[in-house]
């Protein structure tokens, strides 16, 4: 990590800067005539300073996941620029050259879908190392064990399959895999959704600890504003493929300026409906 | 022979009066074919079924009686030979009419022969009508008299006329002149457009299902009681693609007769026949025989070094003789044909009563003698029993068979085992028929082949192409070998000379010598001749079963239901 | 449980046929020309007098070649043939390996035909065991070949979509439509005359296997098309994984379930395909037995009507098919 | 829809073109030709055979032959049968109709049997009835089609319940329309049964596994929770969803309509395309084979198209894609 | 209190072949009045869903009621045959599933799915059923002209699908609706809508409601009384307001600490302080209190035997040695 150029650029400059990002999907199946384009991102501008926790909120279908995928270089945006750690990402070759990829990783929404059910925990965590050609076999195994321990999975976890873990443990596994690629920016796409409160709290704690330990920058994608309040320092509200409002969390929760922001605030289950 | 019954026919109809008891008129006979007839046109018919159909629809000038295997008058009521056997003048029956009612005369005969001989028509019959490499000349001498000129004396001249169907000029001349004769008389043509002089005429063709023939009202034969033949109103041929299905349908009563049935199914019918009152016919050995031959072609033009190496063995008489001696013909008769076959050592089967040479020896199977012969031929046996040639190479070769012929495949398996007792390693290569033919006749890429041949006629003349070195059916050596072995030279001259010998005894002597050479030299190793087996329902009379095709239906005009 | 049962059963059957060289009393090619179509001989422990014998025995059969009965054999209860265990094979002809140990046998000149004989008097029991080798392994290998081809081609088509997809799927449709019989003729034409038992076995496997990739490839393609968009594939891409890595590690294993189901359906089909191939002369050539060519014998009316024991190969196939069926079922349930 | 159908049609044409080309190539590669069989006849000279080959254009090279054939196909002529000396299409037409009658009936019958059977086996999944059903289907798989056909014929012979092959009784001509129909149905019974016995095991397997998958789905549990009775559950909820793989299978089975019954037709003397094709294949009556293969491919292509359209109608999810 | 449902000592075991049996429910005992809204609170694996399925007689294969009874309007559902059950399922007790996307038939139009339920229990003509289904869909907020009635499930949003499921659930005017985590799969806006809808229906239709959730905030929004479950057992039972403000059981307390009351102005990232550890393996429960291993107030007796019910003030019950 020390030799990475990302370390060298100054703190006042944003770690990630996005300008005018747009992306449209062609929807098609077997049916040639049913081509249609769904504009998912319509010019997104965004900046994340290093070490910050930014939460991206918005109704479903507002383009959050699409933005996350473009930022994690999983998809190629149609237009716009992404600057990361002072370097402009060439959008054409995001999938080529594993070693030269930017250190942006993503933790997926549903680990049930993002962990291959046929691979053991060790295999899953080793995957990024294997792909980037990191170390020898034994080194990788050792590193995998370290990572599993880091996210709080027991010593016996390595040989188990995803289906043999609980929901919370799968989240941990997912985080361990993302960490294996030594990211600077971690995109957490609904990483806490679908968990019991207790587990949610545990995972959130884990992520907060990791951030504190390693100086990671987080881009949270969340739908529960109660979590936003606790986890993010700044919030960006997305609506219909654009970012319509960015503000410090407290300010936004107190007094959202944009209509989508207001709508989101209203939906928070604060006042018990019944007890009153 | 000439007779003029006043009761029948308006003008002078030269009808043929048959002998034998009179039958009952009427009824329908249901028979079967494995495949559909492809055409009713004798000029192009190739397949057996079409030819069988044509023998029922059409008639020839001189006919071979399949029961006696001798010729007898047909459309020609008499003939005269002159010019040392080079000129035949045939007297035709007068007043006959085709099945469509139109009259028949010498013009039809001349038309028919010219059509068959026309190189543009490409009739498969054409070769048959070439004598001494030249076409027969046909001349009309009068309305009912025709002259045929041969380029050289021809022993089997009378037999040439058998099977040459006389066509109605009035129906086909137009097509012939327009160059469309090959498209005429397809099986799907309207029945009314087809006419002949045979006992039946086409009534209906249902594709894939059946062909129905009905009585030809103008047929030119009557029985002793002056009833016009044929007796049967109709013959129906159902298309039944396999023999097993035929047997089942025969047993179910759908079919009235099985013209030819395999030994296994015959045994099945024999077992159940008593209860159903079938009439089973075991006619004894037929004209068909199975044989094994080695590749003796001159392969210098082909690149087949492996086979050339093995030809060193195949060309040794001792080798071929040893193989012949080691084959258990009795086992073939017993296991393949359930006893319904006869072992043979030369090409003429016991079914060919006129030409068979009784003096041919029937050596019993003997491994000792075979091994002795092999030793003389320079072969030795290793300690483990493997036979090796003088170079020390093990004797191993393959036999081609076609899987569609179950009997031959079985035979091959027996031979494989027989020869293994000599220390020969035999591989069986099974290949469907066309591919096998292509190897045997075009590429010569084979070592040994098991085949069957049917003589279409009892006479040796058509066999000339089999036994002379230049013949097209000289299967074991189509690419001629130089120099010819002395026995082949002798075969060539014997076959050539017998064609011109008009004296039967002299011809027989020549042909006996041919048989002897084949038995001694084993260019083809003759194995067995299966019996002709057939079955009919009880009540069908007038049958004169023949060992030649059409076994039961050759005299369909005389068959009747009791 | 189910899985174990199926695997055990299949293993047992395969061990049985692999052990043919010891379990079968005779060489499969040995002809007993004096015993064509002999019926199966029952083993007894108790004789006609009611005496119990520790050593199993069979009664001799007398062949009446002149009899017109369907099965012209008569059991001679006065002649007992005791069965011996661990015997040496007697030398016979040029093919039998003399001196081999066999599990059981009877003293020559007697013969023991547990499942009767075929038209050459060859022991059906021995042929069944030896033939199973060819058929079971041909079915297995041919299926493996088909599935491997289907996996690779279907995987490529599903993964790359667009042009490769069009090409491969077009080809698969072609393959399904083509008249195989012709290709087989053509192939035979190019082959050398001599094919040893092994070569013809691999030829058989190759031919059967090559013809069958179209269906599995289409199924694999379907699976791959959906697997391509799974999150874990996306995640691996996020680490910079190559296409090959994704296919090998994540996408193709997904198709495993489909393939196993296909295997359970294809293996029986392929074992029986040899019946057709024998018809074309492309099957296992004589005198080697296979279940396919043994069943082909049954397809003759007189055999069907008279010699029920010739169906032994068919009966042997039933448990094999059942077990494969069960195996696929069990594998389907435990993804 | 139109565009889809059009694009599929062009694709289909490509497939047909490919099939015809490859079939031709195979034919040329396979040894021997139609006139090879004449060589065994001692009465026909090799020269005569060569002349016939030339007359029928068999001496020409593959590309030339193929181009000539394509030209004649474009003029609406599918080729010429050497054996019948007549155009192929009329030969094929009549027999194809008979084959379709047979195979369509069998297809219909087998689905009518396979669906309830598969449903029944799936409903009793793991029980002993399911096992018995597996045993029956495995046994059916173990018997080659031809053997089934032959055994049925032998049975027909012993019992006299069914005719022993053929399509009509000889007396059919003289019967009234109703009796003729009855006669036809009577003759159809056995070959249809033989075909069904071959089709059934695989179909049952597919129905059963498709059903098992759906029976496990949460929406079926939900429907049960709504108190929907079992019969309605099956027909209204399970089957429509389980139909997708079955529709695809159905589409594929249309492709085998022409070729699937070949050997059974031969054994049972059904006057369909089977005996004609088998003989044409063995005799190398090239154009008959090419035409039959082409027809068969056309069926396959149509079947796939039909399945796609059906899927589109049945499954709204596909429509949305 | 007029009791509609009485669950008596219900014990359910799962024992798929070959595996160790799991006791998914153990001596669950509670009553429900005909107009009551009851919340079930607990982590996943605490037996909430098993209870819901048991109430509808829909236990998956391998699951069986070992002892106890479920009395519903005088019928013991545990002992009832399939015919009797079918009369009750969907008609008198209906279930709202967790995942509306999976609970709807993918190839059936929305209105038809509602009609299916109606026809399963009522004899209606096609037209009547259609009219009724439109009425029901209107009741859950779909105007007939919205076109949603003829849509397929995949064309709807998560919230809309859940409304359809609810329309199915109320189709036959049941006496009890069991809603199993009906909002978990939804985003916050839809979550709120559905809760409001359920509460309204409860009021308007006078039906009993059992709402299952792991989120106290969800329950607080919609129910009067809460049962807290842990490892298949009820650990606390009481009126919602009281239980949420003043939890007694250490587990309830821990759980509520994980809850996320919004504290405006305090946007600092902060660690959570709540129940540590993971829920126990139901197949290998030790004797004693199931929560003992995670309990911050564990006593020696907790590891020895299971605590019994202790009644506290105001209809609150708790199962904990602290109060014995």
């Amino acid at each position: 990590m020390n030799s990475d150029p990302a370390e060298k650029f100054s703190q006042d400059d944003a770690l990630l800067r996005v300008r005018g990002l747009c992306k449209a999907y062609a929807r098609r199946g077997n049916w040639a005539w049913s081509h249609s384009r769904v504009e998912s991102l319509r010019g997104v501008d965004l900046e994340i300073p290093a070490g910050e926790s930014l939460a991206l909120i918005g109704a479903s279908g507002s383009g959050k996941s699409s933005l996350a995928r473009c930022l994690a270089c999983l998809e190629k945006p149609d237009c716009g620029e992404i600057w990361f750690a002072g370097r402009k990402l060439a959008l054409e070759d995001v999938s080529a050259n594993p070693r030269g990829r930017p250190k942006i990783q993503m933790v997926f929404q549903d680990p049930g879908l993002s962990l291959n059910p046929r691979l053991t925990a060790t295999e899953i965590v080793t995957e990024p190392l294997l792909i980037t050609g990191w170390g020898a076999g034994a080194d990788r195994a050792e590193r995998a064990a370290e990572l599993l321990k880091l996210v709080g999975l027991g010593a016996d976890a390595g040989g188990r399959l995803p289906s043999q873990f609980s929901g919370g443990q799968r989240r941990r596994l997912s985080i361990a895999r993302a960490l294996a690629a030594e990211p600077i920016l971690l995109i957490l796409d609904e990483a806490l959704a679908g968990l019991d409160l207790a587990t949610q709290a545990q995972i959130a704690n884990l992520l907060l600890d990791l951030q504190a330990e390693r100086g990671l920058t987080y881009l949270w994608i969340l739908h529960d504003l109660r979590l936003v309040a606790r986890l993010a320092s700044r919030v960006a509200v997305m609506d219909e493929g654009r970012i319509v409002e960015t503000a410090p969390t407290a300010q936004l929760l107190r007094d959202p300026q944009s209509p989508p922001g207001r709508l989101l605030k209203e939906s928070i289950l604060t006042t018990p409906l019944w007890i009153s | 022979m000439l007779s003029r019954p006043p009761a029948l026919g308006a003008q002078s109809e030269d009808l043929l009066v048959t002998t034998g008891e009179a039958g009952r008129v009427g009824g329908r006979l249901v028979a079967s074919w494995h495949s559909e007839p492809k055409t009713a046109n004798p000029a192009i018919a190739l397949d057996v079924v079409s030819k069988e159909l044509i023998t029922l629809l059409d008639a020839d000038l001189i006919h071979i009686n399949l029961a006696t295997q001798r010729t007898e008058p047909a459309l020609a009521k008499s003939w005269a030979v002159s010019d040392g056997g080079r000129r035949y003048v045939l007297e035709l029956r007068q007043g006959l009419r085709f099945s469509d009612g139109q009259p028949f005369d010498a013009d039809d005969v001349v038309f028919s022969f010219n059509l068959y001989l026309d190189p543009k028509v490409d009739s498969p019959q054409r070769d048959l009508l070439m004598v001494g490499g030249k076409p027969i000349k046909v001349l009309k001498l009068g309305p009912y008299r025709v002259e045929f000129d041969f380029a050289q004396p021809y022993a089997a001249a009378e037999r040439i006329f058998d099977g040459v169907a006389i066509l109605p000029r009035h129906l086909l001349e137009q097509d012939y002149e327009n160059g469309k004769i090959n498209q005429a008389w397809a099986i799907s043509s309207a029945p009314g457009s087809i006419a002949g002089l045979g006992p039946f005429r086409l009534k209906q063709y249902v594709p894939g299902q059946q062909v129905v023939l009905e009585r030809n009202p103008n047929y030119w034969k009557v029985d002793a009681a002056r009833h016009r033949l044929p007796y049967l109103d109709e013959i129906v041929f159902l298309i039944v693609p396999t023999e097993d299905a035929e047997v089942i349908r025969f047993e179910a009563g759908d079919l009235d007769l099985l013209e030819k049935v395999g030994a296994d199914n015959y045994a099945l019918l024999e077992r159940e026949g008593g209860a159903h009152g079938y009439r089973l016919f075991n006619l004894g050995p037929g004209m068909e025989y199975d044989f094994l031959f080695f590749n003796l072609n001159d392969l210098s033009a082909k690149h087949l070094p492996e086979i050339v190496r093995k030809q060193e063995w195949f060309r040794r008489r001792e080798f071929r003789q040893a193989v012949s001696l080691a084959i258990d013909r009795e086992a073939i008769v017993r296991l393949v044909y359930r006893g319904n076959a006869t072992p043979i050592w030369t090409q003429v089967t016991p079914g060919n009563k006129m030409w068979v040479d009784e003096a041919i020896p029937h050596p019993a199977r003997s491994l000792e003698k075979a091994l002795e012969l092999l030793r003389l031929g320079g072969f030795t046996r290793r300690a483990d029993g493997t036979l090796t040639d003088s170079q020390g190479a093990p004797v191993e070769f393959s036999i081609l068979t076609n899987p569609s012929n179950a009997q031959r495949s079985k035979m091959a398996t027996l031979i494989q085992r027989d020869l293994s007792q000599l220390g020969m390693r035999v591989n069986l290569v099974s290949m469907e028929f066309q591919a096998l033919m292509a190897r045997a006749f075009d590429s010569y890429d084979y070592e040994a082949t098991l085949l069957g041949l049917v003589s279409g006629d009892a006479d040796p003349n058509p066999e000339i192409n089999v036994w002379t070195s230049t013949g097209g059916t000289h299967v074991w050596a189509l690419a001629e070998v130089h120099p010819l072995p002395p026995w082949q030279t002798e075969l060539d001259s014997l076959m050539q000379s017998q064609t011109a010998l008009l004296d039967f005894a002299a011809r027989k002597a020549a042909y006996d010598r041919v048989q002897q050479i084949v038995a001694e030299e084993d260019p083809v190793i003759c194995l067995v001749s299966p019996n002709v087996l057939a079955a009919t329902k009880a009540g069908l009379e007038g049958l004169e079963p023949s060992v030649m095709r059409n076994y039961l239906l050759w005299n369909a005009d005389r068959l009747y239901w009791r | 449980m189910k899985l174990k049962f199926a695997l055990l059963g299949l293993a047992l059957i395969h061990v049985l046929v692999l052990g043919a060289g010891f379990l079968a009393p005779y060489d499969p090619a040995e002809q007993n020309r004096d015993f064509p179509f002999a019926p199966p001989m029952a083993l007894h422990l108790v004789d006609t007098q009611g005496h119990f014998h520790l050593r199993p025995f069979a009664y001799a059969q007398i062949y009446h070649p002149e009899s017109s009965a369907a099965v012209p054999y008569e059991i001679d209860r006065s002649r007992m043939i005791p069965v011996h265990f661990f015997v040496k094979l007697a030398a016979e002809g040029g093919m039998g390996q003399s001196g081999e140990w066999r599990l059981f046998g009877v003293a020559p000149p007697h013969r023991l035909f547990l499942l009767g004989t075929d038209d050459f008097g060859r022991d059906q029991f021995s042929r069944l065991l030896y033939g199973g080798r060819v058929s079971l392994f041909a079915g297995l290998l041919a299926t493996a070949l088909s599935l491997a081809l289907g996996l690779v081609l279907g995987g490529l088509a599903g993964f790359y979509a667009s042009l490769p997809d069009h090409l491969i799927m077009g080809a698969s449709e072609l393959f399904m439509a083509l008249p195989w019989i012709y290709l087989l003729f053509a192939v035979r034409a190019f082959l050398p005359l001599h094919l040893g038992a092994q070569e013809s076995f691999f030829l058989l496997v190759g031919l059967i296997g090559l013809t069958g990739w179209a269906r599995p490839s289409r199924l694999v393609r379907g699976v791959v098309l959906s697997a391509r968009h799974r999150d874990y594939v996306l995640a691996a891409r996020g680490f910079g994984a190559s296409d090959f890595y994704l296919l090998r590690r994540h996408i193709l294993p997904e198709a495993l379930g489909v393939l196993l189901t296909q295997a359970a359906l294809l293996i029986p089909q392929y074992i029986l395909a040899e019946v057709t191939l024998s018809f074309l002369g492309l099957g296992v050539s004589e005198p080697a037995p296979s279940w396919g060519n043994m069943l082909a014998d049954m397809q003759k009316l007189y055999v069907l009507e008279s010699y029920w024991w010739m169906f032994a190969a068919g009966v042997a196939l039933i448990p094999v098919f059942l077990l494969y069926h069960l195996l696929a079922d069990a594998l389907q349930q435990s993804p | 829809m139109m565009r889809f159908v059009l694009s599929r049609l062009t694709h289909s044409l490509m497939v047909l073109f490919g099939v015809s080309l490859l079939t031709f190539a195979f034919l040329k590669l396979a040894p021997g030709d139609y006139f090879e069989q004449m060589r065994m006849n001692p009465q026909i000279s090799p020269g005569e055979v060569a002349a016939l080959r030339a007359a029928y254009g068999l001496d020409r090279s593959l590309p030339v032959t193929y181009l000539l054939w394509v030209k004649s196909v474009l003029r609406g002529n599918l080729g010429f049968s050497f054996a019948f000396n007549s155009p192929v299409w009329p030969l094929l037409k009549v027999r194809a109709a008979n084959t379709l009658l047979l195979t369509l009936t069998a297809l219909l019958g087998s689905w009518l049997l396979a669906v309830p059977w598969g449903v029944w086996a799936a409903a009793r999944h793991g029980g002993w009835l399911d096992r018995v059903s597996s045993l029956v289907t495995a046994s059916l798989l173990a018997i080659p089609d031809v053997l089934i056909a032959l055994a049925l014929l032998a049975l027909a012979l012993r019992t006299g319940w069914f005719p022993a092959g053929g399509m009509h009784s000889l007396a059919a001509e003289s019967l009234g329309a109703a009796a003729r129909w009855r006669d036809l149905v009577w003759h159809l019974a056995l070959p249809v049964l033989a075909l069904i016995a071959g089709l059934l095991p695989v179909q049952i397997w597919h129905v059963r596994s498709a059903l098992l998958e759906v029976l496990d789905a949460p929406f079926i549990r939900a429907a049960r929770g709504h108190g929907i009775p079992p019969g309605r559950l099956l027909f209204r909820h399970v089957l429509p969803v389980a139909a997708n793989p079955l529709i695809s299978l159905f589409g594929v089975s249309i492709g085998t309509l022409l070729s699937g019954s070949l050997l059974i037709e031969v054994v049972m003397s059904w006057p369909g395309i089977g005996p004609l094709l088998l003989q044409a294949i063995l005799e190398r009556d090239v154009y008959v084979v090419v035409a039959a293969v082409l027809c068969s491919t056309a069926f396959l292509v149509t079947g796939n198209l039909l399945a796609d359209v059906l899927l589109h109608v049945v499954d709204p999810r596909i429509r949305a894609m | 209190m007029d009791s509609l449902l009485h669950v008596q000592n219900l014990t359910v075991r799962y024992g798929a072949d070959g595996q160790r049996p799991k006791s998914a429910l153990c001596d669950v005992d509670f009553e429900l009045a005909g107009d009551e809204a009851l919340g079930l609170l607990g982590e996943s694996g605490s037996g909430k869903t098993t209870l819901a399925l048991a109430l509808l007689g829909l236990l998956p294969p391998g699951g069986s009621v070992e002892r106890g009874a479920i009395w519903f309007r005088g019928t013991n559902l545990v002992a009832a045959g399939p015919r009797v059950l079918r009369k009750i399922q969907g008609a008198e007790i209906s279930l709202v599933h967790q995942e509306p996307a999976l609970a709807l038939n993918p190839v059936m139009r929305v209105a038809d799915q509602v009609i299916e339920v109606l026809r399963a229990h009522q004899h209606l003509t096609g037209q009547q059923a259609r009219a009724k289904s439109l009425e029901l869909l209107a009741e859950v907020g779909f105007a007939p002209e919205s076109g949603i009635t003829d849509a397929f499930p995949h064309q709807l949003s998560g919230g809309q699908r859940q409304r359809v499921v609810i329309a199915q659930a109320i189709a036959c005017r049941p006496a009890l609706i069991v809603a199993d985590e009906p909002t978990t799969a939804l985003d916050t806006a839809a979550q709120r809508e559905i809760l409001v809808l359920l509460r309204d229906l409860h009021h308007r239709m006078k039906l009993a409601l059992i709402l299952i959730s792991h989120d106290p905030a969800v329950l607080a929004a919609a129910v009067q009384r809460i049962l807290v479950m842990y490892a298949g057992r009820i650990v606390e039972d009481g009126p919602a307001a009281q239980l949420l403000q003043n939890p007694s059981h250490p587990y309830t307390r821990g759980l509520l600490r994980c809850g996320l009351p919004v504290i405006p102005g305090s946007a600092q990232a902060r660690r959570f302080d709540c129940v540590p550890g993971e829920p126990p393996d139901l197949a290998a429960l030790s004797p004693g209190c199931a929560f003992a291993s995670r309990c911050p107030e564990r006593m020696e007796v907790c590891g020895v035997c299971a605590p019994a019910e202790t009644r506290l003030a105001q209809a609150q019950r708790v199962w904990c040695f602290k109060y014995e």
Side-chain angles (χ1 to χ4, degrees), chain B residues 257-377:
Chain B
L257 88 174
L258 294 172
E259 275 230 84
K260 188 163 186 273
V261 60
D264 293 312
N265 283 324
Y266 186 80
L268 205 65
L269 290 174
E270 233 177 358
R271 237 177 25 241
E272 287 153 15
H276 299 81
Y278 305 139
R279 275 179 77 186
L280 297 176
F281 298 89
N282 187 343
L283 305 177
M287 308 296 274
E288 192 182 329
Y289 60 102
D290 299 302
F291 59 92
L292 175 75
F293 61 93
F294 292 98
N295 184 350
L296 299 180
N297 284 292
D298 176 10
L299 297 181
S300 50
K302 313 255 173 186
H303 183 71
L304 298 164
E306 181 68 11
I307 298 173
V308 170
R309 182 177 70 84
K310 294 181 181 178
Q311 280 184 326
E312 284 295 305
W313 318 329
F314 305 154
R315 290 196 198 289
R316 285 181 195 279
R317 184 174 71 167
E318 295 87 354
F319 182 85
R320 301 194 299 267
Q321 285 174 334
V323 168
S324 178
L325 265 174
I327 291 175
D328 188 351
R329 290 179 173 77
E330 288 299 335
I332 295 176
V333 168
R334 202 156 44 81
L335 296 178
V336 180
Y337 292 105
R338 293 179 179 250
N340 290 319
T342 311
I344 53 170
W345 285 263
T346 187
Q347 84 271 27
V348 180
T349 69
N352 191 346
K353 307 232 163 43
M354 244 197 302
W355 295 95
V356 70
D357 180 5
E358 306 285 357
I360 301 285
H362 295 181
R365 179 182 193 230
S366 166
L367 288 176
E368 294 75 39
K369 279 187 200 157
L371 284 170
E372 177 62 33
L373 277 167
L374 287 171
R375 216 172 3 260
L376 286 175

